[in-house]
């Protein structure tokens, strides 16, 4: 009996579930999910969603802590895929897994209990691609420093990349940018430019599908360039021309000369526009600007006084101050500048900003022309450039397969399986100058495409043939002491030596 009892206890211990045997003194939110996940032994957080904090141990997801205080007994398909359930029922994308939404700038699954699969967009508001794609990078690189990028440039480059994609690679891009048609702009010589380009290494040109090239030409007015990729001169000149001379020497020679970079998918855009109401240089002075850390600086402050115009508007409450100023109309296209200054904590505001908030601000703007005594404006000049961590950011948004050699799926780009491509890197640079006269701003997005199989490196060895009388020396390599020296006017005769050699196919070149 005693032996049978011990045997029974042994079987019980052997069959204790892993999550309990490893964490028998820990409880966490992930145990209550369906499917359930074990609790982490440690506290290293690698991902956070609406359920709580997640870690990875033994190459598996595990929960940390008790998670969200708002527990729900409802679940959804996305939990099994590593995504939380949406609190709301707004669908922004549907695939074979189910309906997806975006909340807190993260993908989530729509619950089965949602009665209406799609919420209609609010009337008179802008329907944006994905959900607040425009602000995604602002939030991901919210590092309390000057920052600038162009959502439109990134969208154009992603659209051109997607034209060559299929299956999950296509779907991941679609989840991020949606399927809307992008606005086309007519470039002008000096004020506005938007251009798309496809640079193809000459030795790889024959492997790029003509249909893909023609699609980019027809749908995106892309300029297709067959280039030797000797250096970055041609690509950089294209970028400089298409950014109205603002962005110069963006790409290094090393990037272009790398034999594994065989194609560049590029978008470049720029504006150089004047204000409708110009600031006067004589009214620009040094004034106090209060920094984020509580310190102060003297900034170059531009000013306008008692302006009564429909081209300037503002909104102000206890939390934010907003200023909009119109730039001149160029061939039917007019831009405006909007500044939003939170009363406290710009970083916190950026984390939560949404297009819905911007649309609400638009409704509350007060025109300077409606103010009896006009509006006084003071705003600092600024000039800087910024390089976005585009590849890292896109992967954080869910575009992963495109950058993975083993998963990238771009069959619409290439003619055969042996020359399949993936995105080796993604670059984005932007530059802005904000002055009394107006705004100069430019941005460039570049996707570097590389073969999944390493390209054979072309070699061009120098040819040295000693086939006439010559002199020789034999010397110490370090001290340069010459031990022997001489001349050769008549080397050995092959006729005499041939019989002592066996012929080899490798002797011929």
């Amino acid at each position: 009996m005693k032996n049978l009892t011990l045997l029974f206890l042994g079987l019980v211990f052997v069959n204790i579930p892993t999550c309990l045997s490893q964490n028998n003194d820990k409880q966490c939110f992930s145990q209550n999910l369906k499917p359930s996940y074990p609790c982490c032994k440690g506290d290293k957080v690698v991902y956070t969603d609406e359920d709580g904090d997640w870690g990875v141990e033994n190459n598996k997801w595990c929960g940390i802590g008790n998670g969200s205080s708002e527990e729900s007994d409802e679940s959804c398909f996305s939990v099994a895929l590593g995504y939380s359930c949406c609190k709301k029922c707004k669908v922004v994308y549907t695939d074979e897994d189910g309906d997806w939404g975006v909340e807190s700038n993260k993908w989530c699954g729509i619950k089965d209990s949602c009665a209406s699969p799609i919420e209609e967009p609010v009337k008179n508001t802008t329907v944006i691609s994905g959900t607040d794609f425009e602000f995604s990078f602002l939030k991901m690189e919210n590092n309390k420093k000057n920052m600038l990028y162009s959502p439109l440039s990134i969208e154009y480059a992603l659209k051109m990349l997607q034209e060559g994609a299929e299956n999950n690679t296509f779907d991941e891009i679609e989840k991020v940018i949606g399927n809307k048609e992008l606005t086309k702009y007519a470039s002008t010589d000096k004020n506005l430019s938007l251009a798309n380009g496809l640079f193809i290494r000459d030795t790889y040109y024959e492997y790029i599908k003509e249909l893909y090239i023609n699609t980019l030409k027809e749908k995106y007015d892309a300029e297709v360039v067959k280039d030797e990729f000797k250096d970055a001169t041609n690509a950089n000149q294209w970028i400089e021309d298409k950014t109205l001379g603002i962005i110069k020497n963006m790409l290094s020679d090393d990037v272009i000369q790398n034999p594994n970079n065989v194609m560049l998918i590029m978008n470049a855009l720029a504006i150089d526009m004047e204000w409708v109401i110009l600031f006067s240089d004589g009214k620009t002075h040094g004034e106090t600007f209060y920094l984020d850390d509580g310190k102060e600086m003297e900034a170059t402050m531009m000013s306008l006084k008692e302006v009564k115009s429909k081209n300037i508007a503002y909104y102000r409450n206890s939390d934010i101050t907003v200023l909009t100023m119109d730039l001149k109309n160029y061939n039917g296209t007019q831009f405006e500048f909007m500044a939003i200054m939170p009363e406290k904590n710009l970083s916190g505001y950026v984390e939560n900003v949404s297009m819905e908030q911007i649309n609400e601000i638009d409704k509350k703007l007060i025109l300077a022309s409606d103010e009896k005594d006009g509006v006084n404006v003071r705003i600092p000049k600024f000039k800087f450039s910024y390089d976005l961590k585009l590849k890292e950011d896109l992967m954080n948004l869910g575009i992963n397969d495109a950058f993975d050699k083993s998963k990238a799926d771009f069959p619409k780009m290439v003619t055969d399986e042996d020359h399949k491509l993936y995105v080796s890197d993604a670059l984005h640079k932007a530059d802005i100058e904000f002055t009394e006269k107006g705004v100069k701003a430019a941005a460039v997005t570049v996707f570097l495409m590389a073969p999944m199989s390493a390209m054979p490196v072309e070699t061009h060895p120098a040819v040295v043939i000693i086939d006439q009388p010559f002199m020789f020396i034999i010397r110490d390599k370090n001290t340069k002491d010459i031990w022997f020296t001489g001349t050769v006017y008549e080397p050995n005769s092959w006729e005499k030596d041939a019989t002592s050699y066996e012929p080899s196919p490798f002797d011929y070149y």
Side-chain angles (χ1 to χ4, degrees), residues 353-369:
V353 69
S354 66
M355 281 304 301
E356 184 179 358
Q357 289 176 322
I358 303 302
N359 292 333
E360 285 301 312
I361 289 173
D362 279 338
K363 297 174 185 177
K364 297 174 182 177
L365 288 170
I366 301 169
L367 296 175
S369 58

Side-chain angles (χ1 to χ4, degrees), residues 39-59:
C39 300
C40 294
K41 288 183 178 180
D43 297 314
K44 184 176 181 181
V45 177
V46 298
Y47 180 72
T48 300
D49 60 17
E50 293 181 358
D51 293 315
D53 295 329
W54 294 86
V56 175
E57 293 178 358
N58 298 322
N59 207 30

Side-chain angles (χ1 to χ4, degrees), residues 304-452:
L304 294 170
K305 190 174 182 181
E306 298 178 3
V307 179
K308 298 179 182 179
S309 170
K310 292 182 179 180
N311 299 113
I312 289 180
Y314 77 98
Y315 169 70
R316 189 170 51 210
N317 63 24
S318 59
D319 296 322
I320 60 171
T321 297
V322 180
L323 171 68
T324 70
M325 299 187 295
D326 288 346
L327 291 151
K328 288 183 179 179
N329 187 311
Y330 295 91
N331 296 332
T333 300
Q334 185 170 30
F335 285 54
E336 72 169 357
F337 169 84
M338 175 185 280
I340 303 174
M341 182 184 73
E343 186 66 24
K344 297 178 181 177
N345 191 11
L346 174 60
S347 178
Y349 185 87
V350 165
E351 287 177 6
N352 298 289
V353 69
S354 66
M355 281 304 301
E356 184 179 358
Q357 289 176 322
I358 303 302
N359 292 333
E360 285 301 312
I361 289 173
D362 279 338
K363 297 174 185 177
K364 297 174 182 177
L365 288 170
I366 301 169
L367 296 175
S369 58
D370 292 337
E371 288 288 353
K372 178 184 175 183
D373 298 318
V375 174
N376 290 348
V377 173
R378 292 206 303 274
I379 188 168
K381 294 177 67 171
F382 55 87
K383 179 181 179 180
F384 63 89
S385 60
Y386 188 85
D387 291 283
L388 202 65
K389 298 175 182 175
L390 185 56
K391 179 178 179 179
E392 179 182 330
D393 290 343
L394 290 176
M395 293 180 74
N396 286 334
L397 283 173
I399 298 178
N400 293 290
D401 282 10
F403 299 101
D404 190 321
K405 275 187 179 182
S406 62
K407 295 181 180 179
D409 196 0
F410 294 107
K412 294 181 180 179
M413 285 186 185
V414 294
T415 57
D416 58 73
E417 288 284 314
D418 293 336
H419 296 89
K420 288 163 61 172
L421 300 174
Y422 77 104
V423 184
S424 62
D425 205 354
L427 310 174
H428 185 86
K429 184 180 183 66
D431 192 293
I432 189 167
E433 184 176 5
F434 184 93
T435 68
E436 290 89 353
K437 185 178 180 181
V439 178
K440 291 183 181 181
V444 179
T445 305
V446 180
F447 289 125
L448 303 173
M449 306 301 296
M452 290 185 177

Side-chain angles (χ1 to χ4, degrees), residues 109 196 232 279 399 479:
N196 296 305
F279 290 83
I399 298 178
T479 66

